[in-house]
Amino acid sequence: MSKSIESVAVIGGGPAGLMAAEVLSAAGLSVVVYDRMPTLGRKLLMAGRGGLNLTHSEDFAAFVTRYGAAAERLTPLIEAFTPADLIAWAEALGQETFIGSSGRVFPRALKASPLLRAWLARLTAQGVEFRTRRDWRGWNEAGDLVFGTEGDAVETACPDATILALGGASWPRLGSNGAWAQVLAQRGIELAPFQPANSGFDVAWSEMFRTRFAGHPLKNIALSFGGRTVRGEAMIADYGIEGGAVYALSADLREAISRTGAVTLDVDLRPDLSRPKLADRLHKGGAGQSTTNLLRKTASLTPAEINLLREGHGIELPKDPGALARAVKSTPITLSAVRPIDRAISTAGGVKLSNLDEGLMLLAMPGVYAVGEMLDWEAPTGGYLLQGAFASGVAAARAVLSQR
Ligand SMILES: Cc1cc2nc3c(=O)[nH]c(=O)nc-3n(C[C@H](O)[C@H](O)[C@H](O)COP(=O)(O)OP(=O)(O)OC[C@H]3O[C@@H](n4cnc5c(N)ncnc54)[C@H](O)[C@@H]3O)c2cc1C
């Protein structure tokens, strides 16, 4: 780039954009963060309601595999801003972290508001200017950025570089509505269609099961689909099923549903007990008991789990201990559809990574970078989403700095 870069517009004040703003302003650049909402970081605050899973403590080699097809492109970004870097960053903002039993990393406060407050104060101290209620609409003929503001008013800006950090398309009321996709498509940027990621699925529960057990957790279970098994938790919802273990399989389930219309998820309600051991317990505890009591007493199944067995295997569960153990170890649930995108935790699709150079600059638009969830990558819950968003913000900011 011929012009020296002094000013940068960061459009989108979520984790990816704010991280880019931090790196750029720390290096002395003049940075303006624009956002269409009245306040910044709304999705980050929403993530905080679930405890704010910042990243994951597993081995780096395993960590990067969570990005699936995008792992190769994301690995160098995460090498340059690792989970350890993210933890150090949060702690420097006064947010001590801890590793939960599943290996996930959380701030001790288990919410995002103190982190976001300290972060925005740091950015302000570094000279970052925030312009909220600025809805980015694209570029005008002169090549200036165009923002809609209050009423019909329009504002333009002509920074030396632009970082787009516009998020995905889930939870649009938090700000990220995906409207940017049309603007970029018109500029010839290749996009993969938005799809719900880490989302729940519809299940045609019986009326009794739905009304009695919606909101009940299924803890320490294993879910299997398409040759993959995931241990964890799920949550029965009135519409179907959601929760961490479901999300971990959700990309495969979503693709299969789009091909075949409905799929069967296999639930092992007691993954720590082998089938023969469970059958033995059921056999020994069996005399004179109802099946419900037997399952409750010998296998500690909850009422929700026992009724889930009936949803999958029919009201009359097998009497034979071997067959009953088989049922507990393998209950089918038919998933008929993926939940709508507006309630998904994240979005798959967006700007295809092939549009970007190593520093996340759009090859077709020199000086314009794209970061965070607006890029076409997806990952399960577990902190991989925020780690990816933060790391991409750092990468683009460093790439801008390297152009100076
Ligand atoms: C309920 C929920 C829980 C979650 N929990 C976790 C978790 O525990 N761990 C985890 O890793 N991830 C979690 N996530 C996902 C995580 O929050 C997102 O992946 C992350 O916020 C993406 O960051 P981003 O900066 O790319 O986009 P966003 O956070 O979506 O920020 C994009 C910003 O761009 C702005 N914007 C969009 N369009 C325009 C426009 N045209 N003009 C101006 N501004 C615009 C938006 O207003 C928004 O502020 C959760 C998400 C949800 C919904």
Side-chain angles (χ1 to χ4, degrees):
M1 202 174 293
S2 51
K3 189 173 153 192
S4 119
I5 297 175
E6 300 300 336
S7 62
V8 183
V10 174
I11 313 179
L18 294 178
M19 189 53 97
E22 175 170 345
V23 173
L24 293 165
S25 57
L29 268 69
S30 154
V31 180
V32 181
V33 174
Y34 296 88
D35 201 289
R36 58 189 294 272
M37 299 302 280
T39 57
L40 303 173
R42 291 190 173 203
K43 196 171 268 183
L44 182 67
L45 290 173
M46 176 58 89
R49 287 210 199 162
L52 194 65
N53 181 194
L54 285 169
T55 187
H56 202 287
S57 61
E58 71 184 338
D59 260 16
F60 190 82
F63 189 105
V64 290
T65 63
R66 310 296 172 192
Y67 297 97
E72 205 178 312
R73 281 301 304 266
L74 288 189
T75 298
L77 311 187
I78 295 175
E79 271 166 356
F81 188 74
T82 62
D85 293 332
L86 175 43
I87 290 166
W89 170 83
E91 298 204 337
L93 283 171
Q95 294 306 302
E96 200 192 325
T97 60
F98 72 97
I99 300 174
S101 55
S102 56
R104 296 172 180 219
V105 178
F106 298 90
R108 283 227 176 269
L110 284 172
K111 55 185 178 178
S113 44
L115 178 101
L116 183 60
R117 213 174 308 122
W119 195 11
L120 293 177
R122 173 190 284 177
L123 294 178
T124 303
Q126 285 183 189
V128 174
E129 187 187 336
F130 300 113
R131 292 194 181 206
T132 55
R133 295 192 168 90
R134 302 300 197 277
D135 186 29
W136 179 65
R137 307 268 167 85
W139 293 268
N140 63 17
E141 283 180 8
D144 297 344
L145 298 166
V146 178
F147 300 89
T149 65
E150 257 118 321
D152 291 336
V154 166
E155 184 178 303
T156 60
C158 185
D160 298 329
T162 298
I163 296 187
L164 302 176
L166 299 157
S170 73
W171 286 78
R173 70 178 175 81
L174 302 177
S176 308
N177 61 4
W180 53 263
Q182 226 180 341
V183 177
L184 293 188
Q186 279 164 4
R187 294 267 163 168
I189 305 300
E190 265 194 287
L191 302 165
F194 290 129
Q195 301 204 65
N198 295 303
S199 60
F201 292 85
D202 290 341
V203 181
W205 300 128
S206 67
E207 188 56 21
M208 180 286 295
F209 187 77
R210 189 176 66 74
T211 48
R212 242 186 104 190
F213 295 110
H216 284 242
L218 301 167
K219 294 189 173 171
N220 293 322
I221 57 166
L223 298 181
S224 299
F225 179 73
R228 276 184 67 209
T229 297
V230 174
R231 296 281 298 258
E233 281 190 33
M235 179 75 84
I236 296 159
D238 60 351
Y239 63 79
I241 192 159
E242 59 188 28
V246 180
Y247 301 155
L249 292 170
S250 69
D252 292 348
L253 292 167
R254 182 190 69 220
E255 299 305 322
I257 287 175
S258 80
R259 282 195 308 272
T260 61
V263 296
T264 303
L265 182 63
D266 186 76
V267 186
D268 179 348
L269 291 168
R270 284 296 168 268
D272 290 324
L273 272 181
S274 70
R275 190 162 54 79
K277 219 170 197 164
L278 180 59
D280 189 47
R281 278 197 195 181
L282 293 167
H283 176 69
K284 285 183 179 148
Q289 303 214 49
S290 69
T291 308
T292 301
N293 272 345
L294 179 65
L295 289 168
R296 193 167 51 80
K297 287 186 182 159
T298 59
S300 307
L301 259 66
T302 64
E305 290 171 331
I306 294 167
N307 281 279
L308 183 74
L309 279 179
R310 297 203 156 98
E311 291 290 301
H313 296 287
I315 296 286
E316 281 304 319
L317 293 174
K319 295 269 178 271
D320 169 64
L324 190 54
R326 203 172 305 122
V328 172
K329 298 288 293 171
S330 174
T331 297
I333 306 181
T334 304
L335 311 184
S336 56
V338 61
R339 294 297 290 165
I341 202 161
D342 59 353
R343 278 301 164 125
I345 285 187
S346 60
T347 322
V351 174
K352 287 194 181 177
L353 298 171
S354 54
N355 289 279
L356 302 162
D357 73 7
E358 283 171 8
L360 304 181
M361 188 175 78
L362 289 167
L363 294 164
M365 304 189 74
V368 181
Y369 298 73
V371 298
E373 202 181 311
M374 68 181 291
L375 304 182
D376 180 23
W377 57 273
E378 64 178 307
T381 55
Y384 309 103
L385 298 164
L386 283 174
Q387 180 74 50
F390 284 124
S392 63
V394 170
R398 287 182 184 160
V400 170
L401 295 176
S402 74
Q403 299 290 317
R404 291 224 288 170

